[in-house]
Amino acid sequence: GDQVEQSPSALSLHEGTDSALRCNFTTTMRSVQWFRQNSRGSLISLFYLASGTKENGRLKSAFDSKERRYSTLHIRDAQLEDSGTYFCADMANYGNEKITFGAGTKLTIKP
Amino acid sequence: SVLLYQKPNRDICQSGTSLKIQCVADSQVVSMFWYQQFQEQSLMLMATANEGSEATYESGFTKDKFPISRPNLTFSTLTVNNARPGDSSIYFCSSRTGLYAEQFFGPGTRLTVL
């Protein structure tokens, strides 16, 4: 089955720093979606990409359009409210509409 | 986008009892799904809720244990039968508006089985 590898598994940063989270897929993907889950358990969709890059404030995500096996989420100028667990989820390119979640990156922002 | 509402937000129940979780979408959606998430773990797809027919279950999940109904394009219920402490987790409903579209999640139902 599909394998979604997220790295790093955990990351601790100080406020104001930048970071990059990564998502690798073992097969080509139709699309990728990034989520953030807060401490209360709510899952918020950050980006949905079928190709290219998207940006929203301090967050930017890219999906490798050529190989379709790699995606990144960049966080610029990290703030305390960015803390949470970040998941990437992908939809395979072979007609299966299900999405598969990575194991997540637990991000902690320190003052 | 799609807004999903779940009821209850959380519940505590005794082993052996059953619990029903409801999910309502603010618009008609093509696909509806149910996910399970244990603490500190990722989300696992349980089943696809099919309108007017039986749900399609993933490996490890059965209709006897987790019956799912979807009477129309905006509503689904997940029942946890014969609840056990190992069923304690967050249950999310999820949907998308098109076959390969962005996916949205409800707020989750946190279940604790004593």
Side-chain angles (χ1 to χ4, degrees):
Chain A
D2 302 345
Q3 290 282 336
V4 183
E5 297 168 359
Q6 278 191 252
S7 62
S9 58
L11 187 59
S12 183
L13 301 171
H14 284 287
E15 272 185 300
T17 55
D18 301 344
S19 63
L21 310 183
R22 289 174 173 78
C23 193
N24 286 321
F25 319 118
T26 56
T27 186
T28 57
M29 290 297 144
R30 178 181 296 271
S31 60
V32 64
Q33 194 166 350
W34 284 91
F35 299 88
R36 179 174 63 230
Q37 188 171 36
N38 62 23
S39 57
R40 293 185 307 277
S42 299
L43 205 62
I44 300 162
S45 177
L46 301 174
F47 295 104
Y48 169 77
L49 296 105
S51 65
T53 64
K54 284 188 179 178
E55 195 164 353
N56 184 5
R58 295 178 294 100
L59 302 180
K60 181 177 179 179
S61 182
F63 182 31
D64 164 36
S65 304
K66 233 180 188 178
E67 300 283 330
R68 308 190 73 79
R69 293 191 176 198
Y70 182 79
S71 178
T72 55
L73 176 67
H74 293 266
I75 304 173
R76 177 176 53 82
D77 185 26
Q79 302 296 305
L80 294 176
E81 62 263 27
D82 295 330
S83 293
T85 302
Y86 289 76
F87 293 101
C88 66
D90 60 278
M91 185 181 297
N93 212 18
Y94 45 78
N96 184 339
E97 65 161 332
K98 300 170 194 173
I99 66 172
T100 304
F101 277 82
T105 295
K106 188 166 185 176
L107 180 64
T108 305
I109 308 299
K110 300 178 289 188
Chain B
S1 66
V2 177
L3 283 177
L4 296 167
Y5 303 93
Q6 286 184 238
K7 191 169 68 172
N9 294 327
R10 58 176 63 228
D11 203 348
I12 301 172
C13 66
Q14 298 292 327
S15 285
T17 60
S18 293
L19 170 81
K20 186 170 286 190
I21 303 169
Q22 297 180 356
C23 177
V24 179
D26 69 340
S27 60
Q28 292 186 340
V29 290
V30 171
S31 309
M32 254 177 156
F33 309 91
W34 287 95
Y35 287 79
Q36 181 184 52
Q37 184 185 31
F38 293 111
Q39 191 159 3
E40 302 293 326
Q41 293 190 25
S42 188
L43 282 81
M44 186 74 66
L45 178 64
M46 300 172 69
T48 302
N50 301 307
E51 187 225 354
S53 65
E54 279 204 359
T56 306
Y57 290 86
E58 299 299 309
S59 177
F61 299 96
T62 67
K63 67 177 181 180
D64 290 335
K65 173 68 176 177
F66 299 104
I68 289 169
S69 75
R70 191 175 174 200
N72 56 52
L73 290 176
T74 62
F75 185 78
S76 179
T77 65
L78 165 71
T79 301
V80 182
N81 279 335
N82 189 24
R84 295 297 172 200
D87 297 324
S88 298
S89 58
I90 304 177
Y91 294 88
F92 291 95
C93 71
S94 178
S95 76
R96 62 170 81 105
T97 54
L99 187 59
Y100 300 119
E102 184 176 2
Q103 193 152 332
F104 299 94
F105 284 79
T109 296
R110 191 180 294 269
L111 174 65
T112 302
V113 183
L114 303 176

